[in-house]
Amino acid sequence: LQSPLRSKIVTQSFGNKGSTYSGQGMPGHNGIDYRAPHGTPIYASHDGTAYYQIDGNGGHGVVIISDTKYEYENSECFWKTIYWHLVDPIKEPMYKSPIQDTPWGKQVKADDIIGYADNTGLSTGSHLHFGLKPVAQGESNNSWYNLEQNNGYYGAIDPAPYMDVELPLNMDLQKGMNHPDILRLQRFLNARGFAVALSGPGSEGNETYHYGQFTFDAVGRFQEAFKITKRGQIGYGRCGPATRNKINSLLQ
């Protein structure tokens, strides 16, 4: 997936917890939030058919469904991307989405403009909420079924592993935790030579959401290489503020 924005500043990652999400029946955030000032152009992340939608809270958005099936776990499926909190074109027609007047959908290519950022719906400030769902086609082109509907996030999964950019770590991580950011940490370490040790079937080395001993050791090697801390010292093997800030600076 390509980035939906030219500026890739993430303000909230998938799975981040908060009272807002528990009130919506979810354990955490079901997408990625990008910083996007009012009127910022939003781009399609992939080819597909785009549909304009308005939710029950007045939130405006676009969803794009791939025209091709792609691999997902042990099968293939279509994919849906979600772009939310766009400008209300009735109030600001100069920011009207090119998808709005196409009730049966519009073919788009990756990098086509599909709308403009705002804070419509359940939002407290202008930004882009970007979501990803594996879906199956139903009885008609307008019916799609989320393959992970019972995962607690209404079928949404973490978009980060499928993106063409490395996203920053947004929280401190430590041994024993399970969180989507841990997969991002593991991929960062593996890509830069601080391998999360084993790679056998079922091992942590295959990259998972779990922060086990292998991740602990890999983080420790990274910390020693960049003189953040040493084995036996406080914070060794933990991805705390100093380690996280160093990783994010390297990503930038």
Side-chain angles (χ1 to χ4, degrees):
L1 297 173
Q2 295 186 20
S3 173
L5 289 166
R6 294 290 186 258
S7 175
K8 310 175 186 72
I9 300 175
V10 175
T11 58
Q12 187 168 202
S13 61
F14 185 93
N16 277 13
K17 300 183 183 302
S19 58
T20 300
Y21 311 117
S22 59
Q24 298 177 40
M26 296 185 295
H29 188 226
N30 66 338
I32 294 174
D33 282 352
Y34 289 90
R35 182 180 299 170
H38 177 75
T40 300
I42 308 300
Y43 301 90
S45 286
H46 59 95
D47 299 350
T49 305
Y51 301 88
Y52 193 85
Q53 298 183 346
I54 304 174
D55 66 25
N57 296 299
H60 289 246
V62 169
V63 301
I64 302 176
I65 300 174
S66 67
D67 294 327
T68 304
K69 289 184 177 181
Y70 294 94
E71 183 180 359
Y72 179 59
E73 295 187 346
N74 296 320
S75 62
E76 292 184 338
C77 68
F78 297 96
W79 291 83
K80 177 195 291 184
T81 48
I82 300 162
Y83 313 75
W84 219 255
H85 305 305
L86 305 185
V87 169
D88 181 344
I90 301 300
K91 297 179 180 179
E92 298 183 272
M94 72 287 290
Y95 289 121
K96 181 179 178 180
S97 166
I99 314 301
Q100 184 184 1
D101 295 330
T102 57
W104 302 109
K106 179 179 180 179
Q107 293 298 120
V108 296
K109 295 290 186 182
D111 218 34
D112 285 351
I113 291 179
I114 57 172
Y116 301 88
D118 196 13
N119 65 338
T120 56
L122 290 177
S123 172
T124 56
S126 183
H127 71 284
L128 173 68
H129 173 90
F130 179 75
L132 176 67
K133 295 183 179 184
V135 296
Q137 192 171 16
E139 296 178 358
S140 71
N141 287 335
N142 293 325
S143 298
W144 296 84
Y145 302 102
N146 302 329
L147 298 184
E148 297 287 357
Q149 186 61 45
N150 297 320
N151 69 353
Y153 294 94
Y154 300 113
I157 64 173
D158 186 5
Y162 302 89
M163 303 296 289
D164 68 344
V165 295
E166 293 178 298
L167 301 178
L169 302 177
N170 294 297
M171 63 182 292
D172 293 347
L173 304 166
Q174 62 186 7
K175 190 176 179 181
M177 290 179 63
N178 293 281
H179 191 274
D181 271 10
I182 295 169
L183 178 61
R184 198 169 304 144
L185 170 64
Q186 291 167 337
R187 290 186 171 178
F188 170 87
L189 294 167
N190 284 336
R192 286 161 178 79
F194 302 96
V196 180
L198 300 180
S199 58
S203 77
E204 183 190 352
N206 279 340
E207 300 178 340
T208 68
Y209 290 162
H210 179 63
Y211 200 126
Q213 185 63 45
F214 301 139
T215 302
F216 178 93
D217 292 338
V219 169
R221 291 192 296 273
F222 174 83
Q223 292 171 324
E224 290 181 324
F226 286 93
K227 297 180 172 56
I228 298 171
T229 188
K230 295 180 180 180
R231 185 177 294 274
Q233 294 182 342
I234 295 176
Y236 182 86
R238 179 179 184 272
C239 186
T243 303
R244 186 161 54 86
N245 289 339
K246 184 61 180 179
I247 290 173
N248 289 342
S249 70
L250 292 173
L251 290 177
Q252 294 169 4

